[in-house]
Amino acid sequence: MTPDPFVLMLSRVQFGLTIGFHYIFVPLTLGLIVAVAIMDTLRVTTGRHDWRRAARFWYRFFVLAWFIGMATGYPLRLQLEQQWAGYSVHARAVIHAIMGMEGMIAPAMVSLVLVLASLASGQPALDRAITRWILAAVMLLQAACIVTLNAWMQHPVGTESGAAGAQIVSLREIFLSPTAITKVAHTLSAGILTGAMFIVAVSSFYLLRRRHRDVARISLSLALPMAAIALGAVVWSGHESARVVMTTQPMKFAAIEAHWEQGSGPSPLTLFAWPDTALQANQFAVTVPRLMSWLATHSDASPPGIRELLVAAEARIAEALREGAGEAGAGWRQLHDRTSRTRTDWRGLSDAERVHATALASVPSVPTLFAGFRLMVGTAFVLAIVLGGALLYRREVFEGGDRWPLRLLCLALPLPWLATFAGWTVAEVGRQPWIVYEQMATASAARLQPAASAVAEFLTYVSAYGLLAMLFVAIARALLRAGPRRQLWNSAWRYRLRSLFGSRLQRRTAAAARASAWISRPSRARPGRPPG
């Protein structure tokens, strides 16, 4: 049964909210744990205690972000099992194989986080550095498993689709597909960039306020080049990922570039435009001749446009609708059925017009992808300018004499998240209308509840995540104000206990001291009587 369009859209928005809020913290934890591991390593190799103080300080933010990220990860699995049960059934073998690895990694990660949070101060410096690197490797491996599952949804290789769903043929092919490799590299480098920019922004804030300068300067000396290197990796892996998308998801690539027609010569790169989906043309376009062909194919060849891809989609739909087509065309039949339920004029259309309408339904939102991709690239360009200027004038930055570079570094804090969410939007919206590309339509994967229950659950998620956001901000502000003090939590708890019970404890302690002194005082002999 096809779900109600309103409930389906609400479920998509709810899942987007859930995974978006979760992803605020995931890249931050990846970047912070790598930075902390490097700091502990430098503590061993250089012998400078400031590296230890810096590592201890940034690890507090890591623990905070990690706990909230872990708490927000479980609702994702719950929604997949309940609201998107069709997908869970179809991809059960792949999910169990990949997420089973992630499940084996998770206990080790939890143990390492708790051990380092409670016992790190008593560890030798070398043991602590090794433990940090093990934790970083475990977290990066876990993230790679999750991203690989998403890469399989974008390009389902290594499996065969049948009546029982997708069955694994080669797990090696799933993990080593070009889509998975480029997507893992792009995502992990973006996470390291996010954590490094967080350290850069907070350290710049301390230098502006002239507080904790020793820890701020030594943290900035690591985080600035780390952010620059990670940004270079993000740009390189993003370019390679776009070239893979052109091959494996040509419709998504054409929508990203608002590339409507292939043409006979090299294609220009459209910098800015207003894509008109009704006319299938770009209004007010600003282009650079030949540049898209050179970037996409490293030649003068033009990739196929949306019009050519629509013709290819019509041929595949017609093939899938023939009798005895088998499971290979199940996804296109699902899309055809979904289109028949959403078009009010369906009965008046001929067979060829119905096939064409289904092909049009396979085109993702061109304006969303076109704008999202340029927002991601533009944000990376601005970030490159800010980081390049900071590295060029790093002496002024570290000394804090010129305050404008420090202000710019503080203002650049949201940019990695902005670029990340823009890229995530391009990846996920570009896959629509498929939940598994050309194998399963998103609407066919939904197993949704009634509208009233869906609205109530959506409001519950919004409220819960609002409270978690306020909790994170409150604790992060407390950590920021406290700075890199050694005994942060003990001092805070002692202060609270004294403020609540101080006067009463002082009176009881004084009375106990007087009684103890009276009991233990030496006995004196009375006059006129022998002692004893």
Side-chain angles (χ1 to χ4, degrees), residues 16-50:
L17 170 69
T18 306
I19 197 171
F21 190 82
H22 174 67
Y23 206 70
I24 291 175
F25 307 100
V26 171
L28 179 60
T29 56
L30 292 177
L32 285 179
I33 192 57
V34 172
V36 168
I38 295 174
M39 290 176 183
D40 272 325
T41 304
L42 291 174
R43 167 68 178 88
V44 175
T45 56
T46 65
R48 293 184 60 181
H49 185 68
D50 285 343

Side-chain angles (χ1 to χ4, degrees), residues 155 173 529:
H155 185 214
E173 187 177 357
R529 298 185 60 180

Side-chain angles (χ1 to χ4, degrees), residues 196-441:
M197 281 306 301
F198 180 82
I199 297 175
V200 166
V202 174
S203 301
S204 301
F205 173 78
Y206 278 146
L207 290 178
L208 280 172
R209 294 297 182 92
R210 293 181 169 84
R211 296 176 55 201
H212 313 297
R213 293 186 183 182
D214 50 351
V215 171
R217 285 172 179 164
I218 202 169
S219 300
L220 202 59
S221 67
L222 169 67
L224 265 179
M226 179 179 170
I229 294 172
L231 180 60
V234 167
V235 173
W236 172 80
S237 58
H239 173 67
E240 294 299 319
S241 180
R243 297 190 64 200
V244 171
V245 166
M246 181 192 66
T247 304
T248 59
Q249 296 174 289
M251 185 66 79
K252 178 197 285 190
F253 180 84
I256 287 173
E257 299 297 340
H259 182 48
W260 301 100
E261 192 171 10
Q262 185 171 18
S264 56
S267 299
L269 178 68
T270 303
L271 298 180
F272 305 102
W274 184 269
D276 191 330
T277 55
L279 298 176
Q280 293 188 353
N282 296 326
Q283 307 293 335
F284 317 108
V286 177
T287 63
V288 178
R290 310 171 67 97
L291 187 57
M292 188 180 74
S293 292
W294 183 79
L295 289 175
T297 64
H298 294 176
S299 67
D300 287 340
S302 176
I306 292 177
R307 293 190 182 97
E308 290 81 14
L309 294 172
L310 282 174
V311 174
E314 289 175 2
R316 298 192 65 178
I317 295 166
E319 180 67 25
L321 293 177
R322 293 177 183 173
E323 293 185 5
E327 292 295 329
W332 290 103
R333 289 194 294 271
Q334 292 172 2
L335 185 61
H336 184 270
D337 180 67
R338 173 65 179 170
T339 308
S340 69
R341 295 173 182 269
T342 54
R343 289 285 295 259
T344 57
D345 59 344
W346 187 259
R347 293 188 177 182
L349 300 178
S350 65
D351 291 343
E353 290 173 333
R354 291 177 178 179
V355 169
H356 181 68
T358 305
L360 286 176
S362 69
V363 181
S365 175
V366 176
T368 302
L369 297 182
F370 183 82
F373 185 79
R374 276 141 189 83
L375 176 61
M376 178 183 66
V377 174
T379 303
F381 182 73
V382 173
L383 194 55
I385 293 176
V386 173
L387 288 175
L391 289 172
L392 186 62
Y393 297 99
R394 57 186 178 274
R395 179 176 298 178
E396 289 80 358
V397 170
F398 292 148
E399 293 177 357
D402 191 354
R403 302 176 70 81
W404 273 109
L406 295 174
R407 291 192 179 100
L408 288 177
L409 290 174
C410 290
L411 293 174
L413 175 60
L415 294 183
W417 277 283
L418 183 61
T420 297
F421 281 108
W424 174 75
T425 301
V426 169
E428 298 307 303
V429 174
R431 193 182 65 233
Q432 300 304 317
W434 312 103
I435 193 166
V436 179
Y437 193 70
E438 294 188 353
Q439 278 194 10
M440 189 175 201

